[in-house]
């Protein structure tokens, strides 16, 4: 019998075929469903790993599986595969919105060692088994708080999540930075991470139908980037930018187009953020490593897609 918050049978049937498989040379893996439910329990409740209920097995096993899948990109791959299924079914609203949110970092998130630990490769891609732990790759991070996406802002010790969301309030791409990083500096990285594979053949879809964002993204570089890619956008102009354009006369150019009705849909990204923050380990950062916290947020986004 399933417990509250665990994956349902329907959700598990969607996720199970996408999970990595053991190659048999490194011992048998503990049951994926038990471990994944343990990871999701911790993300949903925010408890310490040592306090995981016994029904999920040894806490060290659950923690190590989450750490490894965060480091080698397995969580991100699973999210992309679920997005690909939704896109093939015509279930994605490609009127995309972009925004960010600050997350208060618990004091347990501080104090990571300067050098990140080695990463064991465990990512299966395109149906190939890659669970052989022969790699020595190291994830991004190390070198102090800044290297682990921890910084200072008005909220104190914080991390900032930059994301894009489709028209149904589901995350399409994620980037994390220190809390003081300006939103506009991460617009292009967020857009570049939108990558929904095709289930059959063809290039992944990376171009939305339209993009909306608030005034924090109103600058020439952002608009130039969107024009270059041929993406319609709705970004309100800042008052000082409008005044400067008017002051310059003809040299200031035409005002940017603005569709009020389209801009009303920007609340979808705010609602996507609210959905993410129902997971307590997302709303408050406890993970010391930046790549592990990114994996935590990605796993929460994956659950939201499965539930939809």
């Amino acid at each position: 019998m399933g417990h509250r918050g665990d994956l349902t049978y329907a959700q598990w049937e969607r996720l199970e075929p996408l999970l990595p498989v053991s190659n048999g040379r490194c011992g048998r893996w503990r049951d994926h469903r038990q471990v994944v439910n343990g990871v999701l329990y911790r993300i949903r409740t925010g408890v310490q790993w040592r306090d995981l209920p016994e029904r999920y097995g040894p806490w060290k096993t659950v923690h190590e599986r989450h750490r490894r899948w965060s480091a080698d990109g397995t969580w991100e791959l699973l999210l992309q595969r679920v997005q690909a299924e939704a896109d093939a079914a015509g279930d994605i609203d490609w009127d995309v919105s972009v925004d960010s949110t600050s997350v208060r970092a618990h004091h347990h998130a501080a104090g990571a060692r300067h050098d990140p630990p080695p990463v064991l490769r465990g990512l299966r891609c395109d149906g190939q088994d890659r669970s052989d732990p022969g790699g020595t790759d190291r994830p991004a991070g190390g070198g102090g708080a800044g290297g682990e996406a921890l910084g200072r802002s008005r909220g104190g010790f914080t991390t900032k999540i930059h994301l894009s969301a489709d028209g149904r309030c589901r995350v399409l791409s994620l980037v994390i930075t220190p809390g003081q990083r300006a939103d506009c500096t991460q617009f292009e990285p967020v857009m570049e991470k939108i990558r929904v594979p095709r289930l059959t053949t063809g290039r992944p879809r990376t171009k939305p139908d339209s993009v909306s964002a608030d005034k924090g993204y109103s600058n020439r570089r952002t608009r130039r980037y969107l024009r270059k890619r041929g993406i319609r956008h709705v970004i309100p102009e800042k008052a000082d930018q409008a005044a400067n354009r008017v002051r310059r006369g003809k040299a200031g150019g035409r005002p940017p187009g603005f569709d009020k009705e389209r801009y009303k849909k920007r609340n979808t990204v705010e609602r996507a953020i609210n959905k993410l923050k129902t997971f307590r380990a997302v709303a408050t950062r406890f993970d010391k490593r930046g790549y592990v916290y990114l994996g935590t947020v990605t796993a929460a986004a994956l659950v939201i897609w499965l539930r939809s």
Side-chain angles (χ1 to χ4, degrees):
M1 180 177 178
H3 295 268
R4 178 177 177 269
D6 289 354
L7 294 173
T8 64
Y9 287 108
Q11 292 168 356
W12 178 246
E13 287 179 357
R14 292 180 61 191
L15 189 62
E16 184 180 19
L18 310 177
L19 294 173
V21 294
S22 174
N23 57 18
R25 295 195 298 257
C26 308
R28 295 179 60 186
W29 289 14
R30 179 170 285 273
D31 179 58
H32 272 323
R33 187 171 186 178
Q34 181 187 35
V35 174
V36 170
N37 281 330
V39 172
L40 298 183
Y41 178 89
R42 184 264 175 178
I43 294 174
R44 180 171 59 86
T45 62
V47 300
Q48 294 186 17
W49 289 104
R50 294 176 182 269
D51 295 331
L52 278 177
E54 294 182 359
R55 64 177 179 268
Y56 298 119
W59 70 267
K60 288 186 177 179
T61 300
V62 181
H63 173 263
E64 178 59 20
R65 189 80 59 87
H66 177 55
R67 188 199 70 80
R68 178 180 296 187
W69 285 6
S70 298
D72 65 16
T74 297
W75 288 123
E76 184 177 4
L77 174 64
L78 294 175
L79 178 61
Q80 290 179 348
R81 293 294 297 274
V82 172
Q83 291 172 345
E85 292 178 354
D87 188 43
D91 191 41
I92 296 182
D93 183 346
W94 283 98
D95 285 334
V96 173
S97 299
V98 178
D99 206 349
S100 71
T101 182
S102 293
V103 174
R104 186 66 184 266
H106 195 272
H107 62 267
H108 289 168
R113 289 174 293 182
H114 289 293
D115 294 326
V119 176
L120 304 181
R121 292 176 183 152
L123 179 63
R124 185 183 70 174
C125 182
D126 298 330
Q128 299 180 354
D129 177 13
R130 295 181 57 190
S131 58
D132 180 13
T136 58
D137 297 350
R138 293 178 181 271
E148 300 297 346
L150 289 169
R152 298 284 181 178
S153 65
R154 290 183 178 180
F157 201 38
T158 55
T159 292
K160 184 174 282 190
I161 303 173
H162 307 262
L163 70 155
S164 65
D166 78 332
R168 298 188 60 189
C169 312
R170 299 169 301 187
V171 172
L172 285 174
S173 61
L174 289 163
V175 173
I176 64 168
T177 65
Q180 75 275 12
R181 194 65 55 83
D183 293 355
C184 60
T185 63
Q186 301 304 308
F187 180 81
E188 292 182 28
V190 168
M191 293 296 297
E192 293 296 329
K193 289 198 70 174
I194 298 178
R195 188 178 181 84
V196 178
R198 309 289 186 178
L199 285 185
T200 54
T201 58
R203 296 179 179 178
R205 176 159 183 177
T206 60
K207 181 179 175 181
D209 293 335
S210 67
V211 173
S212 62
D214 61 23
K215 290 183 179 180
Y217 297 90
S218 177
N219 57 63
R220 291 182 179 178
R221 179 172 179 174
T222 297
R223 298 183 192 276
R224 188 184 307 117
Y225 171 82
L226 292 169
R227 283 197 302 268
K228 183 178 180 180
R229 295 190 60 188
I231 301 174
R232 294 184 296 110
H233 58 277
V234 182
I235 304 176
E237 191 178 24
K238 293 181 179 179
D240 60 334
Q241 294 174 347
N244 183 57
R245 175 177 50 77
V246 172
R247 180 182 58 81
R248 296 179 62 191
K250 292 184 178 180
R254 295 178 298 176
F258 184 74
D259 185 345
K260 291 184 179 180
E261 293 301 318
R262 172 65 185 89
Y263 190 70
K264 290 179 181 179
K265 293 182 64 177
R266 200 190 66 81
N267 68 83
T268 54
V269 70
E270 304 287 354
R271 289 152 61 192
I273 290 171
N274 289 339
K275 288 183 178 182
L276 279 178
K277 286 193 169 182
T278 60
F279 296 85
R280 295 188 177 184
V282 174
T284 301
R285 175 177 169 176
F286 300 101
D287 300 310
K288 291 182 183 295
R289 294 293 179 191
Y291 73 89
V292 176
Y293 181 66
L294 179 59
T296 296
V297 182
T298 305
L302 173 64
V303 173
I304 294 171
W305 276 90
L306 291 174
R307 289 176 179 173
S308 66

